[in-house]
Amino acid sequence: MEKSNMVQEEKFGEKDFQTIIGNLLRYGVWISLSVAFIGGIVYLMNHGSQIEDYSVFTENDRNIFEVIAAVYNGTISGDGASLIFTGIIFLFLTPVLRVLLSLFSFLLEKDYLYVGITLIVIIIIIISISFGFSH
């Protein structure tokens, strides 16, 4: 009888963990879309009448930490473009957090093949971000 309760608790924990991951994806997308939408409204309220000049492109030479600091400060001050970018960052982080939660789920299940595969995916994400912001 004791083993039966332990199996039921383990299955309940596994199902509960999958519910958490599902909610993370659902709410992460909704939050990111809401933040970006609010940022778009703020941006249009402040810059809606301006005409953008697309004939000149200037590359941003800042590193990732400077960009994150600028976006953070802009978001705190209510800058529309920074709010849009914050929404995009949230949208990017949603599946990344899902991969990290999956890693913990596989560790709890002691499914080491999938732990290894998930670690490879995390390494690929880290390398992609690193090379994406370096020159």
Side-chain angles (χ1 to χ4, degrees):
M1 185 96 176
E2 192 174 309
K3 187 175 182 178
S4 173
N5 288 340
M6 192 167 65
V7 171
Q8 287 177 349
E9 287 177 15
E10 184 177 322
K11 287 184 181 180
F12 175 75
E14 202 173 297
K15 183 179 177 185
D16 191 41
F17 204 78
Q18 295 303 319
T19 303
I20 291 170
I21 290 174
N23 286 336
L24 168 73
L25 293 172
R26 182 179 306 110
Y27 296 125
V29 169
W30 278 110
I31 289 170
S32 65
L33 290 175
S34 299
V35 170
F37 183 75
I38 291 168
I41 291 171
V42 170
Y43 183 83
L44 288 175
M45 287 174 33
N46 295 330
H47 303 287
S49 62
Q50 294 177 351
I51 298 175
E52 195 65 40
D53 181 19
Y54 292 109
S55 64
V56 177
F57 176 77
T58 55
E59 186 176 352
N60 189 350
D61 289 336
R62 298 182 293 181
N63 68 31
I64 183 65
F65 300 111
E66 292 171 343
V67 171
I68 291 173
V71 169
Y72 174 77
N73 291 330
T75 300
I76 295 299
S77 67
D79 177 52
S82 295
L83 284 166
I84 293 169
F85 200 72
T86 300
I88 293 169
I89 290 172
F90 285 164
L91 188 63
F92 171 76
L93 287 177
T94 300
V96 172
L97 290 174
R98 190 251 189 260
V99 171
L100 290 173
L101 283 176
S102 295
L103 176 66
F104 292 119
S105 172
F106 295 139
L107 281 170
L108 289 175
E109 295 173 11
K110 298 181 181 172
D111 193 346
Y112 298 116
L113 174 64
Y114 285 105
V115 168
I117 292 170
T118 306
L119 284 173
I120 291 170
V121 170
I122 292 170
I123 290 169
I124 290 170
I125 290 171
I126 291 170
I127 290 171
S128 298
I129 292 171
S130 300
F131 285 128
F133 286 105
S134 65
H135 291 88

